Amino acid sequence: MKIAVIGAGIVGISSANWLKKYGQDVTLYDMNDPGSQASYGNAGTYAKYANIPTNSSSYFYLFPYLLLNKNSPLFISLKRLNETFPWIIKYLSNCRNEKVNHTVQHLTTLLSHMDDGYEDLFNEANAEDYISRESIMYGWSTKLFFNAAKQDFPKREETGVKITTLSRDDISDLEPNINNIFYKGALFEGSYFAKSPIKVSEALMKLFIKKGGKFKKEKVISIKKTETNQINIKTNSGETLHDRVVITSGVWSNDLLKHIGDKVPLEAERGYHLVNPELKNIVKRPISWQERGTYFTPMSDGLRTGGIVEFGALNETKNEKVLNFLNRALKEVFPSADLPQKTWVGFRPSVPDSLPVIGQSPKNPYIYYNFGHQHIGWSLGGISGKLVAQQICANNTDLDLSPYSVKRFKL
């Protein structure tokens, strides 16, 4: 079959590679360079344990605190409040226990198969050069937040990780170069991270091209079904016919769904990072300061400080309040830090129930979806790509995809 994959982030690149492994003729489309958007700027963590959604059961009660506290990692653009408010209400409605338990169950299923989606691709692409197998560490600076978080440890371990609780002295032994502000910590054994997310994406792209895949740096304008049941893709450079289409366009996916008739309550969560080259190799592993929603990741170009959630405009104008927030957190844990040499903002594709959209369109059986991975697209890109490829090529998948179907949205 001749298959188009629209969107060349980690989810799209992985989907394209798995389709090639199953012998298909695949063209990958993106208006930007592969791996240059959300897949470029993330914390780089393969967070197998990340099955607790951000809108967990306690989030509803914490929301006023997060909204008003100056040290909160939540930011909302007042200029866009009218646009984002309906989505935020849906997001908060998913804080109910039964909704959270549903999300945890199905994130656990995906995350427990995380390595199944990446192991073969990494080996074939020689991507291990850009990956560190050091485990990820969380730190809590207060007893209250640690005691609340540890209630979720048993659920997190259901994904296949082992969680080791760390005392303040344990944290200093593991990472002696930080200003240890933490009350307690946790080590997630079985997690790992990318030292350079863009290098991982480039390695997987080289594998895709080596296997005969094609990449077109073009903007897809429309998708239409033809009388012969093929799909006509119109781009800024022309039109092409395909037998199947996979939409992996992240926050831009809704621009294409309107041509198909499916609807998803998709919102952009803006995420940021700073880069400090002088702090390169100061720590061995990513450290997340949980109360601040912030990650410090040792990458090949320096220490990357990233995280936060901002509901704001879908443009690259940076919020100075967010940059200052991240810089304050950086200076508290790494007092010797200079002013960051680089800053970045990107867009996480998020839906209110914190589950990705994976599988066949009910409106058109020749179109498939793979987007909306929120904070864990870097972790789930491989397995969700494999599952979509299985559904297209064999009509049989290792996991039941019905919980992730677009059908769950009643708009």
Side-chain angles (χ1 to χ4, degrees):
M1 287 185 290
K2 190 175 181 181
I3 301 176
V5 178
I6 305 174
I10 191 63
V11 176
I13 296 170
S14 298
S15 300
N17 267 295
W18 278 108
L19 287 164
K20 285 304 301 177
K21 283 175 73 68
Y22 292 138
Q24 306 305 318
D25 179 2
V26 186
T27 302
L28 184 60
Y29 291 86
D30 202 305
M31 58 185 174
N32 299 299
D33 291 329
S36 64
Q37 300 302 302
S39 295
Y40 168 82
N42 57 71
T45 57
Y46 297 98
K48 194 174 184 178
Y49 55 84
N51 60 346
I52 308 298
T54 53
N55 53 337
S56 61
S57 301
S58 60
Y59 191 88
F60 183 84
Y61 303 101
L62 284 172
F63 189 74
Y65 164 84
L66 292 170
L67 199 59
L68 299 173
N69 191 291
K70 72 172 185 177
N71 289 322
S72 163
L74 175 65
F75 296 82
I76 297 178
S77 169
L78 295 179
K79 292 180 180 179
R80 285 197 71 235
L81 189 57
N82 286 341
E83 297 174 53
T84 57
F85 188 72
W87 189 92
I88 291 171
I89 293 300
K90 292 177 183 178
Y91 183 71
L92 292 174
S93 73
N94 279 278
C95 294
R96 300 196 304 271
N97 280 330
E98 65 272 22
K99 293 282 190 178
V100 174
N101 290 338
H102 175 85
T103 296
V104 169
Q105 176 187 349
H106 296 298
L107 286 181
T108 298
T109 299
L110 285 175
L111 286 162
S112 62
H113 289 80
M114 180 184 81
D115 294 333
D116 297 339
Y118 278 131
E119 187 173 357
D120 287 352
L121 298 185
F122 285 171
N123 287 338
E124 290 185 57
N126 296 316
E128 282 291 333
D129 291 344
Y130 312 114
I131 292 170
S132 169
R133 296 289 168 171
E134 292 282 358
S135 299
I136 299 159
M137 186 175 83
Y138 277 15
W140 292 267
S141 53
T142 63
K143 183 177 181 179
L144 176 67
F145 278 92
F146 171 74
N147 286 339
K150 74 177 182 180
Q151 303 302 316
D152 291 327
F153 285 4
K155 289 181 181 178
R156 291 186 183 276
E157 289 186 315
E158 291 176 8
T159 64
V161 301
K162 177 185 176 184
I163 302 177
T164 301
T165 299
L166 304 173
S167 68
R168 192 169 186 276
D169 288 343
D170 292 334
I171 293 171
S172 292
D173 289 342
L174 283 171
E175 297 295 350
N177 295 326
I178 69 170
N179 177 34
N180 191 350
I181 60 170
F182 300 115
Y183 164 74
K184 286 282 180 67
L187 200 64
F188 297 90
E189 299 177 35
S191 61
Y192 49 100
F193 71 99
K195 295 179 287 186
S196 175
I198 190 62
K199 290 293 185 183
V200 173
S201 295
E202 288 173 355
L204 293 176
M205 272 300 297
K206 288 178 182 177
L207 175 64
F208 172 65
I209 299 300
K210 180 181 177 182
K211 296 287 187 178
K214 298 176 285 292
F215 173 67
K216 292 186 177 182
K217 189 176 179 180
E218 300 173 10
K219 181 178 181 178
V220 174
I221 298 171
S222 67
I223 301 173
K224 293 182 181 178
K225 184 180 176 182
T226 68
E227 293 181 357
T228 59
N229 287 331
Q230 288 184 297
I231 306 297
N232 179 287
I233 291 182
K234 181 180 180 181
T235 74
N236 57 320
S237 296
E239 299 183 18
T240 314
L241 294 177
H242 295 271
D243 301 305
R244 302 288 186 274
V245 172
V246 186
I247 296 177
T248 60
S249 303
V251 295
W252 293 277
S253 296
N254 263 346
D255 293 341
L256 301 175
L257 266 64
K258 64 185 179 184
H259 299 285
I260 302 159
D262 289 318
K263 295 183 179 180
V264 174
L266 188 66
E267 179 64 34
E269 284 189 42
R270 285 157 57 102
Y272 290 69
H273 79 226
L274 320 173
V275 178
N276 286 73
E278 81 281 3
L279 299 179
K280 182 177 178 180
N281 299 324
I282 196 169
V283 291
K284 296 178 181 178
R285 73 197 75 245
I287 300 171
S288 175
W289 184 358
Q290 282 290 284
E291 290 97 327
R292 300 290 179 91
T294 302
Y295 280 81
F296 308 103
T297 304
M299 293 197 173
S300 56
D301 59 346
L303 185 72
R304 177 176 292 186
T305 302
I308 74 92
V309 169
E310 182 190 28
F311 297 111
L314 193 60
N315 62 53
E316 295 182 359
T317 302
K318 296 165 189 165
N319 184 340
E320 288 298 322
K321 290 182 179 179
V322 176
L323 297 177
N324 291 337
F325 170 87
L326 288 174
N327 200 41
R328 287 200 312 271
L330 170 68
K331 293 288 285 185
E332 288 195 53
V333 182
F334 302 92
S336 65
D338 296 333
L339 287 175
Q341 288 197 9
K342 183 169 65 174
T343 63
W344 175 90
V345 63
F347 315 101
R348 305 182 191 96
S350 298
V351 293
D353 63 0
S354 299
L355 287 174
V357 180
I358 307 174
Q360 194 172 35
S361 166
K363 299 288 187 181
N364 188 327
Y366 305 107
I367 294 176
Y368 297 77
Y369 301 136
N370 197 0
F371 61 86
H373 294 74
Q374 204 165 13
H375 292 254
I376 51 175
W378 190 249
S379 299
L380 292 179
I383 185 58
S384 59
K386 182 178 183 179
L387 291 168
V388 162
Q390 288 177 338
Q391 189 178 45
I392 292 172
C393 300
N395 198 28
N396 186 34
T397 55
D398 292 342
L399 304 175
D400 176 18
L401 292 184
S402 60
Y404 318 103
S405 171
V406 72
K407 293 179 184 179
R408 70 187 193 264
F409 300 112
K410 309 296 183 184
L411 297 177

